[in-house]
Amino acid sequence: MQRRSIRRVVAVAVLAVGASIITGIPVSADPATAPGVTIEAVTSPNGSFIEKMEVTDSRHLRLHVYSAAMDATFPVDVQRPADTSTPKPALYLLNGAGGGEDRASWQLRTDALDFLADKDINVVQIIGGKWSFYADWIKPDPVLGVNKWQTYIGEELPPLIDAALGTNGVNAIAGLSMSGVPVLNLAINHPGLFRSAAVYSGLTQVSDPAGQQAVRATVEMYGGGDTENMWGPMGGPLWVANDPLVNAEKLRGTHLFVSTGTGIPGIHDEPGGPFRMEKPADTPKTVALGALIEGAIFLGAHNLQARLGRLDIPATFVYRDTGTHSWGYWQDDLKSSWPVLAKGLFPEA
């Protein structure tokens, strides 16, 4: 309790000092105020709270949120709607394997914020959770630390966002690549919290051998963590419990969008293209790896579509004729998914 009190004092002090600039968010000449945003005395049921707020302009700010579940503070980037005179819904955006902690993020690699700027919503970008599959891990990991991301995103953060931004409590969620499984699991584990869910080139099953190897490659090969600290031994009950394909019945009632390419290189795979992050000389091998990843995800998406079909659960699936695992396609997919996201965000429309 004493530490939380100290954190609150620090938060108030930071607010009194003034505003600062958030890296990666467009800077404008607007006054450094965020209308309708209040963070004092806002807490979630388990004691999580917003430590401080940094404001870029009247529409963009960064909240620093203390997670009691992880005993750590994480940034959350917010884009406010143009009109904040009445409560508006919120779209939560998850990044890929880097958790938005690197330069591979929605706001740095796409025009997502510009596209969503006139949609009359709050855009909430989760920052953190690299290589974690945004899961609740059963043990702290020597490399990746404590991970309780399902608790953070599904329980701790929403009441803080709703209170601070004055939302209407209506949410949707979208994510790419590594975020496919957690986006669907958040909809499964918190019925009604996210009324729409969109997955772009995302893994959608984890208890089958191919899914397990994909998770293991992400967590262990790239992240240096240990999947046994996440869900226990491969093939164990927690892998099944966290498999959206197995638990697809619980997606009933959620507006669903899933997209993927075939793995065949397309318009966003040319060396030196605007969405390429590697040196042009490295593009062929990067595209080849992206083709393998996308091809596997393509098959997994068909499995999920078949499963939902058997359960008579409606969903929108978009299979692009071309496309590897790349930001250009995810920018396109976000725009394609907007009608589905809007169904959940604006149910009365």
Side-chain angles (χ1 to χ4, degrees), residues 3-92:
R3 175 170 52 189
R4 289 204 290 266
S5 297
I6 293 173
R7 289 177 183 269
R8 289 182 182 281
V9 170
V10 172
V12 172
V14 169
L15 282 176
V17 170
S20 60
I21 300 301
I22 307 172
T23 302
I25 293 179
V27 176
S28 79
D30 293 344
T33 60
V37 180
T38 305
I39 71 170
E40 295 91 341
V42 176
T43 60
S44 62
N46 72 347
S48 301
F49 60 92
I50 300 171
E51 282 192 350
K52 64 179 180 179
M53 174 175 65
E54 298 172 336
V55 178
T56 298
D57 56 38
S58 61
R59 296 195 61 184
H60 300 99
L61 60 138
R62 170 168 283 191
L63 301 174
H64 293 262
V65 179
Y66 171 72
S67 164
M70 291 185 275
D71 192 23
T73 299
F74 302 98
V76 176
D77 287 339
V78 175
Q79 176 171 279
R80 297 284 274 150
D83 178 11
T84 59
S85 62
T86 58
K88 303 295 170 60
L91 170 62
Y92 287 65

Side-chain angles (χ1 to χ4, degrees), residues 55-206:
V55 178
T56 298
D57 56 38
S58 61
R59 296 195 61 184
H60 300 99
L61 60 138
R62 170 168 283 191
L63 301 174
H64 293 262
V65 179
Y66 171 72
S67 164
M70 291 185 275
D71 192 23
T73 299
F74 302 98
V76 176
D77 287 339
V78 175
Q79 176 171 279
R80 297 284 274 150
D83 178 11
T84 59
S85 62
T86 58
K88 303 295 170 60
L91 170 62
Y92 287 65
L93 286 181
L94 301 187
N95 290 286
E101 299 177 54
D102 50 16
R103 295 192 60 79
S105 68
W106 282 108
Q107 65 188 31
L108 294 178
R109 307 310 310 180
T110 74
D111 67 0
L113 294 185
D114 290 336
F115 173 73
L116 296 169
D118 65 351
K119 300 297 186 286
D120 213 23
I121 61 172
N122 295 281
V123 182
V124 179
Q125 298 178 78
I126 308 297
I127 309 298
K130 60 184 179 181
W131 317 115
S132 71
F133 275 86
Y134 293 109
D136 275 7
W137 289 40
I138 59 175
K139 296 178 183 177
D141 187 85
V143 174
L144 299 179
V146 175
N147 291 285
K148 296 291 182 182
W149 292 95
Q150 289 283 305
T151 296
Y152 175 68
I153 301 169
E155 300 175 21
E156 295 179 326
L157 194 55
L160 302 179
I161 292 295
D162 291 346
L165 305 184
T167 77
N168 63 3
V170 176
N171 306 305
I173 190 167
L176 60 99
S177 190
M178 182 190 78
S179 295
V181 168
V183 161
L184 296 175
N185 280 340
L186 282 161
I188 287 169
N189 296 327
H190 302 279
L193 178 60
F194 299 104
R195 300 187 184 184
S196 293
V199 173
Y200 317 118
S201 298
L203 191 65
T204 55
Q205 58 185 113
V206 296

Side-chain angles (χ1 to χ4, degrees), residues 150 171-174 179-199 202-206 240-258 300-301 303-317 340 344:
Q150 289 283 305
N171 306 305
I173 190 167
S179 295
V181 168
V183 161
L184 296 175
N185 280 340
L186 282 161
I188 287 169
N189 296 327
H190 302 279
L193 178 60
F194 299 104
R195 300 187 184 184
S196 293
V199 173
L203 191 65
T204 55
Q205 58 185 113
V206 296
V240 176
N242 285 280
D243 192 330
L245 185 79
V246 173
N247 301 293
E249 170 61 40
K250 296 180 181 178
L251 290 168
R252 190 180 302 278
T254 304
H255 299 286
L256 299 170
F257 177 95
V258 177
N303 292 340
L304 180 62
Q305 184 177 25
R307 170 76 168 149
L308 292 173
R310 290 192 295 271
L311 294 170
D312 197 25
I313 296 176
T316 299
F317 281 79
V340 175

